[in-house]
Amino acid sequence: MELGMRLERVRTNLNAEEQSAIDRLIEWLRIPSISTDPAYRAEVRRAAEWAADRLRDAGLAPELRETGTPGAPGHPIVWAHHPGPAGYSGPHVLFYGHYDVQPPDPLELWESPPFEPVIKPAERGEDVPGERVVARGAVDDKGQVASFLEALRAWHAEAGEIPVRLTVLLEGEEESGSVNLERFVKEHDAHLRSCDVCVISDTGMLARGEPAITYGVRGLAYTEVILHGPNQDLHSGMWGGRCPNPINELSKVLARLWDQDRRVTIPGFYDDVLEPTPEERRAWADLPLDYPAMLGKIGLTKEADIGEKGWTALEREWARPTCDINGIVGGYTGKGAKTVIPTHASAKISFRLVADQDPGKIVRAFRGWLDANTPPGCRWEFIDHGGGFPGTVSTDSPYLAAARGALEAAAGGKQAHLIKSGGSIPVVGLLKGQLGLDTLLIGFGLDDDRVHSPNEKFELDCFRLGMHTHACLLSEFAEMGG
Ligand code: BES
Ligand code: MN
Ligand code: MN
């Protein structure tokens, strides 16, 4: 049967099987695969096995590949390879996704338990959530990976075969820094080198009903600093004003990380930054986005549109590096008052990076700056929490054209926007840096999906679009072979 006819049957299958696809996703979402917390080790593996079972249902022969070292075991990678139909001459496609999720905390802010998925009805009004599944991992990333798994299932069911040469790599440590991924990629160098393009669904659309392809994600460098002062907690009456208070001193140093224009003050921080082109800035300015409304949704007014001077909100998210304090602790944080000068104070500090910044170089520059700004009598302790390179995708590849075609076919003729994202997906930079492999980021999330937050959701319209896009994309790739 001709490819186009087979695709039609696959899409009919997706429509007919929609309810069971949702039921399957719910089953997966019930497994609390929190990779950062050792207490959930067995659950993480169970989520990997669940995904492997779905790949098996689609006619593949998946394996769980162990990661890490005997002393520091990691979470398994779900790995499967399908050679493609006999005589196949199209691209070898790598599909990457992650089956681990963020911790659900704070639990009390969830309207329903994070691992007891519920379907909520559409809300009324303009730009409000449609029918959706609410659970931790709904959009990041199980729901999006499930849209791909369903496309595989439907192709296998209707056409008897997946029409492309395909390798599937599902990671279980993305949300905890992908610490074992680099080694895995090195160990599978030869195989991965034979891939022509990577496909990832782990980003968002421009807006509801506005599909998009993401051509850049930011990098990340995550650090923790502890400022040590006196060797014991002290009475602030006897010692206040006589010796360094690590909280006072840490706050003062951290406050100097930004200047009047909200630019990061670390020497060399902007050295390797590749600025967006005037054409990009023009194209972004034309995107149909309502910035005051976006601030309104997070409870802020338009006065809150602050950041590095000289750049718009979108430019600051997509094309400028930033520094954020993600946590800060010290001294007495319990109920009531305690007059204390603590021995130490600490902060978690991360940098979002853009092309061509190098996370290692940024971390070294930050340490150098801290050393140069050590408060008198104090000492820094420094912990590196890893991160990843920024990922940029070429916008003129035949693969991107295939992705545009697939999205357009799945979205009923609607053209896909080309966007960037402020988030980070370490594997993108890793594949590009180690293997020169380009990625297609085709995401189906929405801005108000509450990624990493309580009441995370994935809208069923987005799930549908994801399933159909992946079904069409497989056909587009198969066609590239001629
Ligand atoms: N899927 C996200 C990245 C993302 C979020 C892309 C929102 C686009 C929009 C991914 O799972 C993630 O959370 N990445 C982490 C980085 C990681 C090293 C912990 C991030 O961006 O903080
Ligand atoms: Mn993700
Ligand atoms: Mn995430």
Side-chain angles (χ1 to χ4, degrees), residues 42 52 61 81 105 160 209-210 233 320 328 374 378 422-423 456 473 476:
H81 178 68
D105 312 73
E210 300 289 341
D233 277 12
R320 299 300 297 167
I328 183 160
T374 309
C378 295
E456 177 180 347
L473 188 57
E476 293 271 348

Side-chain angles (χ1 to χ4, degrees), residues 21 83 88 97 119 124-125 134 162 246 266 277 313 327 340 349 379 394 472:
Y88 178 76
I119 302 288
R124 282 162 179 281
V134 179
I162 312 293
I266 299 167
T277 64
V340 63
I349 298 159
R379 161 178 76 81
S394 69
C472 295

Side-chain angles (χ1 to χ4, degrees), residues 234-476:
L234 303 168
H235 189 294
S236 69
M238 294 159 68
W239 287 97
R242 275 178 69 189
C243 74
N245 174 337
I247 307 177
N248 299 2
E249 299 303 320
L250 177 66
S251 325
K252 286 193 288 180
V253 172
L254 295 186
R256 290 206 296 275
L257 270 169
W258 302 270
D259 68 13
Q260 288 291 309
D261 294 335
R262 299 181 190 278
R263 281 172 65 86
V264 174
T265 52
I266 299 167
F269 184 74
Y270 294 96
D271 280 3
D272 298 327
V273 170
L274 211 65
E275 295 206 348
T277 64
E279 295 79 59
E280 279 180 300
R281 295 183 78 177
R282 262 198 302 279
W284 299 350
D286 287 343
L287 289 171
L289 291 171
D290 183 345
Y291 299 98
M294 287 162 100
L295 286 169
K297 277 194 171 184
I298 56 165
L300 295 171
T301 57
K302 61 182 194 310
E303 285 70 40
D305 180 17
I306 58 161
E308 189 190 351
K309 194 175 170 183
W311 303 90
T312 67
L314 201 65
E315 289 165 351
R316 298 196 305 265
E317 185 200 334
W318 289 0
R320 299 300 297 167
T322 52
C323 168
D324 275 290
I325 303 173
N326 301 114
I328 183 160
V329 250
Y332 183 66
T333 56
K335 286 198 167 62
K338 182 183 183 201
T339 47
V340 63
I341 289 175
T343 64
H344 63 271
S346 71
K348 306 217 191 240
I349 298 159
S350 69
F351 302 90
R352 293 282 170 177
L353 309 176
V354 299
D356 284 326
Q357 285 177 300
D358 172 337
K361 218 169 140 181
I362 293 299
V363 166
R364 283 193 295 281
F366 179 44
R367 291 195 66 158
W369 179 85
L370 282 177
D371 286 336
N373 287 280
T374 309
C378 295
R379 161 178 76 81
W380 294 110
E381 183 185 337
F382 190 90
I383 303 166
D384 185 4
H385 290 295
F389 279 84
T392 316
V393 179
S394 69
T395 49
D396 57 0
S397 78
Y399 308 114
L400 196 95
R404 276 183 186 280
L407 262 176
E408 204 179 318
K414 196 145 184 136
Q415 291 261 330
H417 297 276
L418 265 190
I419 63 171
K420 294 185 106 179
S421 168
S424 306
I425 305 177
V427 74
V428 179
L430 195 61
L431 294 174
K432 183 82 181 188
Q434 308 260 323
L435 313 164
L437 187 63
D438 244 319
T439 295
L440 290 172
L441 293 154
I442 312 173
F444 303 98
L446 294 171
D447 259 3
D448 58 10
D449 278 344
R450 300 175 183 269
V451 184
H452 293 195
S453 303
N455 307 308
E456 177 180 347
K457 68 160 168 77
F458 190 36
E459 299 197 6
L460 299 188
D461 279 342
C462 299
F463 187 37
R464 260 174 226 123
L465 180 65
M467 292 192 277
H468 284 270
T469 301
H470 282 298
C472 295
L473 188 57
L474 291 170
S475 164
E476 293 271 348

Side-chain angles (χ1 to χ4, degrees), residues 25 28-29 97-98 100-102 110 132-147 174-175 200-205 425 442-460 462-463:
L25 171 57
W28 202 15
L29 290 170
H98 65 91
D100 64 322
V101 302
Q102 285 275 324
W110 284 80
R132 67 215 104 122
V133 54
V134 179
R136 169 58 83 233
V139 63
D140 186 12
D141 184 24
K142 284 174 177 164
Q144 300 210 54
V145 173
S147 73
E174 198 273 348
E175 298 292 11
I200 302 180
S201 287
D202 193 25
T203 48
M205 312 206 288
I425 305 177
I442 312 173
F444 303 98
L446 294 171
D447 259 3
D448 58 10
D449 278 344
R450 300 175 183 269
V451 184
H452 293 195
S453 303
N455 307 308
E456 177 180 347
K457 68 160 168 77
F458 190 36
E459 299 197 6
L460 299 188
C462 299
F463 187 37

